[in-house]
Amino acid sequence: MLKRERSWLTIALINLSVVALLGLLLRSKILFPIPAINFGYLLHAHSHFAFTGWITLCLLTLMTYRILPEKYNSQPRYKWLLAGILLSAVGMLLSFPFQGYAFFSILFSTLSILVSYVFSWFFIKDLLKTRPRKPVIILAVSSLVAMVLSSVGPFTLAYMMASHSVNALLYRDAIYTYLHLQYNGFFTLGIFTLFVHHLGHSSAKVPERSLNHFATFLSVSVLPTLALSYLWHFPNAVIRTIAVAGCGCLVVTLVSFIVMMRSAKEALKTVGPFTKKIGVLSMIAFAVKTAVQIFIVFPAIGEMVFSNRPVIIGYLHLVMLGFVTLYLFAYLLHIGYFETGRGLSAPGIIIFTGAAIANEIILAMQGFPAIFMLNSTLYLWLLWAAAIGLFTGALVIAAAAVKRLRTRSDILLLKYPGSYYQRNNRPA
């Protein structure tokens, strides 16, 4: 692993701990009087920094240094583009808590979007020159296209906030459009770009046909399932027909996913047991989130979901924490970023994973109070405890990342490229 790649990943993991701290502050604000904190402003900072400072920075770093050959990823432009992503994320972190949507927060949000445009252009251009396997091209290109298209949401919100002409329906549609294209588009397709690329380099080959089917249907499903986000207030025949077609794609995607995973058993035997457990949890979360998307098309379920805030938050955290973040942990473990036999990384990941699972269970219980019949204030305390667990786990992981960055082994790797350390720690 190159020093520059490890540095960007370490920064991303530090950012994850900041995201978890913001989440803990939000949960604390609900329970305790903290007049210095504006809940709405801090929520914007939490979500924007989670998207840009953690997931986008980590995903784009891994896609750059794992998918592109060194001939391309060593070019200075990628260093500057990743720096632009980080700068915009920090700018949003420092502006949103104090002013919400205003000049500086909109400025840094816009910078983030513009940098993502430039990154997507160069990455796709370089990717096509390298001619990787077809499913990797499909997933990587679709992922970045979804990221670019998602900017329609923030631009719409920024315009409404700046012009003081907020339309409640348009406001929610802009948010749902952005979230869909990020969560079910960029994040999901980016994760499977890394996964399919790994399978393609495994000694036990996975049938190309199963990979192509999965990559194609997953990518194609993104745009028509966007119509699911509009059913809450605009359920006419055209929108519902498009949504049903998208759900049909998701059904085929889920079947293709099961077929792909069954055919990948041999390829995944080289993955360590701890890494495999974290990866399996991530893939279970993907299957659950896909099933939830499919069932939303039924009116009774869709109305219940869109009117139930804990369920919506639970879904967003299922994707963000359960699927995306856990897979990134598993991937970092597998490529040797963390020391699996010692150090802080394993305990940190265990704490974080346990807290993420607890968070999902509590949100599900809170979303269906008639079933569980618990005191509503109890949920708030339980969610606060889960937030403490997430912050503790993220902080321990960040400490492990910083410690590993400063180890002598990385210095040796840089000074002696043909060393024993490099020969025995090559990324899979």
Side-chain angles (χ1 to χ4, degrees), residues 160-204:
M160 286 193 292
M161 295 297 179
S163 62
H164 303 288
S165 58
V166 177
N167 178 294
L169 296 182
L170 184 59
Y171 180 87
R172 288 187 67 177
D173 281 344
I175 291 176
Y176 285 149
T177 299
Y178 174 69
L179 292 177
H180 174 82
L181 291 172
Q182 285 279 313
Y183 278 74
N184 302 311
F186 171 47
F187 295 167
T188 298
L189 296 169
I191 289 296
F192 280 109
T193 298
L194 298 175
F195 182 72
V196 169
H197 181 261
H198 162 69
L199 293 180
H201 285 74
S202 172
S203 56

Side-chain angles (χ1 to χ4, degrees), residues 230-250:
Y230 307 139
L231 291 177
W232 71 278
H233 79 88
F234 198 56
N236 66 29
V238 175
I239 296 295
R240 187 164 294 281
T241 300
I242 296 172
V244 170
C247 288
C249 288
L250 285 181

Side-chain angles (χ1 to χ4, degrees), residues 4-325:
R4 56 180 177 270
E5 179 187 12
R6 182 176 289 281
S7 298
W8 286 119
L9 293 174
T10 301
I11 292 170
L13 288 166
I14 293 171
N15 290 349
L16 174 62
S17 67
V18 175
V19 171
L21 175 60
L22 296 178
L24 177 56
L25 288 174
L26 287 169
R27 289 294 175 193
S28 301
K29 173 68 175 178
I30 295 173
L31 289 168
F32 310 107
I34 312 176
I37 293 178
N38 181 302
F39 186 89
Y41 291 177
L42 191 65
L43 182 60
H44 287 313
H46 172 68
S47 58
H48 281 79
F49 195 67
F51 281 31
T52 309
W54 160 231
I55 294 182
T56 299
L57 183 61
C58 190
L59 259 182
L60 296 187
T61 296
L62 290 172
M63 289 174 69
T64 298
Y65 293 105
R66 295 286 141 180
I67 307 296
L68 296 180
E70 188 174 359
K71 174 185 175 181
Y72 296 100
N73 67 40
S74 61
Q75 294 179 14
R77 62 172 171 246
Y78 286 108
K79 176 182 70 175
W80 290 110
L81 288 168
L82 292 173
I85 294 291
L86 177 61
L87 174 64
S88 63
V90 173
M92 288 185 282
L93 175 66
L94 297 178
S95 57
F96 269 115
F98 305 104
Q99 61 174 196
Y101 271 99
F103 176 77
F104 287 107
S105 57
I106 292 175
L107 175 66
F108 285 112
S109 298
T110 304
L111 173 63
S112 172
I113 292 169
L114 295 179
V115 172
S116 72
Y117 289 174
V118 178
F119 180 94
S120 299
W121 169 262
F122 283 116
F123 184 91
I124 292 173
K125 188 177 177 182
D126 289 340
L127 178 72
L128 295 178
K129 290 178 184 177
T130 66
R131 297 183 179 180
R133 297 177 72 183
K134 183 179 177 181
V136 173
I137 294 177
I138 294 171
L139 290 166
V141 173
S142 300
S143 172
L144 295 177
V145 169
M147 178 175 67
V148 169
L149 292 177
S150 72
S151 62
V152 171
F155 278 137
T156 303
L157 291 176
Y159 171 77
M160 286 193 292
M161 295 297 179
S163 62
H164 303 288
S165 58
V166 177
N167 178 294
L169 296 182
L170 184 59
Y171 180 87
R172 288 187 67 177
D173 281 344
I175 291 176
Y176 285 149
T177 299
Y178 174 69
L179 292 177
H180 174 82
L181 291 172
Q182 285 279 313
Y183 278 74
N184 302 311
F186 171 47
F187 295 167
T188 298
L189 296 169
I191 289 296
F192 280 109
T193 298
L194 298 175
F195 182 72
V196 169
H197 181 261
H198 162 69
L199 293 180
H201 285 74
S202 172
S203 56
K205 295 297 181 183
V206 179
E208 188 85 5
R209 184 178 179 183
S210 66
L211 296 178
N212 283 337
H213 281 179
F214 174 73
T216 301
F217 282 104
L218 180 63
S219 300
V220 168
S221 70
V222 173
L223 286 182
T225 51
L226 177 58
L228 291 169
S229 302
Y230 307 139
L231 291 177
W232 71 278
H233 79 88
F234 198 56
N236 66 29
V238 175
I239 296 295
R240 187 164 294 281
T241 300
I242 296 172
V244 170
C247 288
C249 288
L250 285 181
V251 171
V252 179
T253 297
L254 203 51
V255 173
S256 302
F257 172 72
I258 295 170
V259 171
M260 179 184 71
M261 294 305 292
R262 290 184 64 180
S263 62
K265 282 184 178 180
E266 287 297 319
L268 296 175
K269 283 184 177 179
T270 57
V271 178
F274 179 62
T275 303
K276 187 176 292 184
K277 289 175 183 176
I278 302 299
V280 166
L281 286 174
S282 169
M283 292 300 141
I284 290 173
F286 167 75
V288 172
K289 83 99 179 169
T290 305
V292 169
Q293 276 185 278
I294 293 170
F295 282 109
I296 286 175
V297 77
F298 297 102
I301 298 176
E303 290 173 11
M304 179 191 68
V305 168
F306 284 113
S307 62
N308 195 322
R309 182 175 172 81
V311 172
I312 293 175
I313 295 174
Y315 176 81
L316 297 179
H317 282 86
L318 174 69
V319 180
M320 176 77 81
L321 302 179
F323 170 44
V324 176
T325 297

Side-chain angles (χ1 to χ4, degrees), residues 390-411:
L390 289 170
F391 173 60
T392 303
L395 192 62
V396 172
I397 293 168
V402 173
K403 181 180 178 183
R404 186 71 191 273
L405 182 66
R406 299 174 63 185
T407 58
R408 182 173 175 77
S409 57
D410 286 306
I411 298 173

